[in-house]
Amino acid sequence: MLTDARCYLEGEWTMDHVKARSLQLRNHPLFTLPCDGEKAASRLVINVEGVTTIDAAGCQLLTVWLSCLEFFGVNPALENPPEALLEAARRMGFDYTLEQYLGDK
């Protein structure tokens, strides 16, 4: 069983960077762990204060990754979201989805 883990997201989360970000997220160590028929009861704290820019493609990628983490039994929690990230999510309609992951879960 996993314990709480922490990761940091940073940089530009825009259409131009989706391919590279997608590969980074897909290769996250949590997805390479063997599963013995039960989901790993763990929590992943994701610090997003280093995200400098995000657009609709970045928001989509982030929300899909968060959903995948939940599918694998990980409870993701976003911390330190910059106001620019929250404002962009509001503008593009991703605020409700991302707010589900803010704070303690």
Side-chain angles (χ1 to χ4, degrees):
M1 181 180 295
L2 296 173
T3 58
D4 286 1
R6 179 173 293 280
C7 76
Y8 299 86
L9 302 182
E10 57 188 27
E12 295 183 37
W13 284 69
T14 61
M15 177 71 84
D16 295 337
H17 299 90
V18 165
K19 182 177 179 182
R21 299 288 181 225
S22 173
L23 291 173
Q24 289 171 344
L25 296 178
R26 189 177 67 201
N27 294 323
H28 193 280
L30 288 172
F31 292 123
T32 62
L33 295 172
C35 182
D36 296 335
E38 68 178 67
K39 295 183 186 250
S42 65
R43 182 169 168 225
L44 178 63
V45 177
I46 305 162
N47 187 310
V48 292
E49 71 182 328
V51 174
T52 56
T53 311
I54 193 163
D55 65 7
C59 282
Q60 288 173 336
L61 179 59
L62 182 57
T63 57
V64 166
W65 186 62
L66 292 168
S67 295
C68 287
L69 286 171
E70 286 187 312
F71 177 79
F72 279 90
V74 176
N75 297 312
L78 298 175
E79 76 173 4
N80 300 323
E83 187 55 41
L85 184 147
L86 297 175
E87 178 55 36
R90 276 190 288 273
R91 219 178 34 255
M92 294 178 276
F94 289 94
D95 51 327
Y96 173 75
T97 305
L98 292 183
E99 285 173 5
Q100 294 180 75
Y101 299 102
L102 291 176
D104 293 331
K105 282 186 82 177

